[in-house]
Amino acid sequence: MNSKGKIYGVSLGPGDPLLITVKGLQTLQQADKIYYPGSLLADGSTSSYSLQILQHYQLDADKLQGMFLKMSDDREAAEQTYAATFQQMLADYEAGLQVAFVSEGDISFYSTFAYLLKHIQQHQLELEIIAGVPSFILGAAQHQSSLAILNEKIAILPRMKDRDTLSRYLEEFETVVLIKVRSVLQDIRNLIQQMGIQIVYCERLGTTQQYITTNINDLENREIPYFSLLILKRI
C-alpha cells in the first residue's frame, strides 16, 4: 500500500471494453478501490452500464464499489449520494489507497464524476483524469463517416426538443450531435424529416445490442434506450 493516496478519474469508453485506453486499463489494474456509477431502480434493484464494462477486465470484485442514483430529477437526493460517496473515497485516500472512479464514455463529458470533482478539488486531493472515447466519436467511426472537415462547426446538444432552437443550430452548424434523445425524439422527428438532413441514429454503441440506422422512419415505433444519440448533418 502506498503511504500517499491518489484519486484517478478513468474513462471507460462508450461500451466496447477494448476501447478503454492502455493507461486507463493499467490504472484500474493497479487501483486499490474502484468506484462506478449506476442506477437505483424503482423495485430496489440496481443496474450499471459501467460495471458491465468493468467485468470484462477480470478485476478483483472486492475492490469494486457502486454508487447508485435514483432515475429522477431530484437533485437534492443526488447531491446527498455524491457527498456520501466522496466521504468514502476521502477515507480511502487518507488511508493511502489508490482510488479510481470510472465513467462510460469520456469522464469529462456529461459525466457523474463532475459532481465528485468539485469535492475533490475543494479538498485539494491529488488527482489524475484519464481521457477516453465519447460515444458520438464511436458513432461516426461505426458509420464510417466524417463528423467535420476544414472549417465546419459541430454543436452538441442534450435533450433538445425545442424545434425552433434546433432549426437555428442546424442553420449555423454543419453537424449537430443530439445526446440524451430518449425523451425528445418524437418531438423533433417531424422537423428532421421536413429539413431533409442526413441522420445517423445510434444506440448502445460498442455492445452486442448496438443498433445504427440512417432512416428516421425506423424509429417511429422503436423503444429508445438511455444510451442513444443522433448525428445530424446538413446535406
Side-chain angles (χ1 to χ4, degrees), residues 1-104:
M1 183 183 299
N2 296 301
S3 59
K4 184 180 180 182
K6 185 173 180 179
I7 294 178
Y8 297 86
V10 180
S11 305
L12 295 177
D16 183 343
L18 295 179
L19 287 179
I20 192 173
T21 64
V22 173
K23 186 173 185 178
L25 180 55
Q26 288 178 344
T27 299
L28 296 181
Q29 291 169 335
Q30 297 166 9
D32 300 303
K33 195 78 169 286
I34 300 171
Y35 289 83
Y36 63 89
S39 300
L40 178 61
L41 307 180
D43 62 3
S45 63
T46 60
S47 67
S48 173
Y49 194 71
S50 292
L51 179 59
Q52 293 175 37
I53 301 172
L54 286 172
Q55 288 171 336
H56 287 270
Y57 304 134
Q58 300 181 326
L59 302 165
D60 183 354
D62 290 338
K63 66 181 184 180
L64 302 181
Q65 176 69 50
M67 180 192 76
F68 300 104
L69 295 164
K70 292 182 179 179
M71 297 297 287
S72 75
D73 293 327
D74 185 352
R75 299 312 304 167
E76 182 177 351
E79 288 295 342
Q80 291 175 354
T81 301
Y82 301 140
T85 300
F86 172 72
Q87 288 302 318
Q88 292 178 297
M89 295 173 64
L90 179 60
D92 293 336
Y93 178 94
E94 292 178 339
L97 301 184
Q98 304 295 290
V99 182
F101 189 96
V102 303
S103 178
E104 62 271 2

Side-chain angles (χ1 to χ4, degrees), residues 41-198:
L41 307 180
D43 62 3
S45 63
T46 60
S47 67
S48 173
Y49 194 71
S50 292
L51 179 59
Q52 293 175 37
I53 301 172
L54 286 172
Q55 288 171 336
H56 287 270
Y57 304 134
Q58 300 181 326
L59 302 165
D60 183 354
D62 290 338
K63 66 181 184 180
L64 302 181
Q65 176 69 50
M67 180 192 76
F68 300 104
L69 295 164
K70 292 182 179 179
M71 297 297 287
S72 75
D73 293 327
D74 185 352
R75 299 312 304 167
E76 182 177 351
E79 288 295 342
Q80 291 175 354
T81 301
Y82 301 140
T85 300
F86 172 72
Q87 288 302 318
Q88 292 178 297
M89 295 173 64
L90 179 60
D92 293 336
Y93 178 94
E94 292 178 339
L97 301 184
Q98 304 295 290
V99 182
F101 189 96
V102 303
S103 178
E104 62 271 2
D106 180 86
I107 202 162
S108 300
F109 184 76
Y110 291 101
S111 167
T112 301
F113 182 70
Y115 302 102
L116 296 167
L117 180 60
K118 64 180 182 180
H119 293 286
I120 294 168
Q121 293 175 333
Q122 285 171 357
H123 285 74
Q124 299 182 326
L125 307 184
E126 185 176 357
L127 169 68
E128 181 175 351
I129 294 178
I130 299 171
V133 179
S135 57
F136 68 92
I137 297 294
L138 178 58
Q142 294 287 55
H143 185 246
Q144 300 182 1
S145 58
S146 172
L147 278 172
I149 58 173
L150 299 175
N151 297 323
E152 291 181 348
K153 303 181 293 298
I154 299 176
I156 301 171
L157 308 174
R159 294 178 180 167
M160 174 54 65
K161 61 181 178 181
D162 184 318
R163 291 164 53 93
D164 292 338
T165 302
L166 178 57
S167 180
R168 289 198 300 272
Y169 272 97
L170 287 168
E171 291 173 0
E172 183 177 353
F173 294 84
E174 285 79 9
T175 301
V176 174
V177 179
L178 302 180
I179 61 175
K180 304 180 181 181
V181 299
R182 179 170 60 178
S183 62
V184 303
L185 186 58
Q186 297 309 318
D187 295 312
I188 61 176
R189 192 162 60 87
N190 289 339
L191 174 64
I192 292 171
Q193 290 173 317
Q194 292 168 7
M195 295 192 70
I197 57 180
Q198 292 180 340

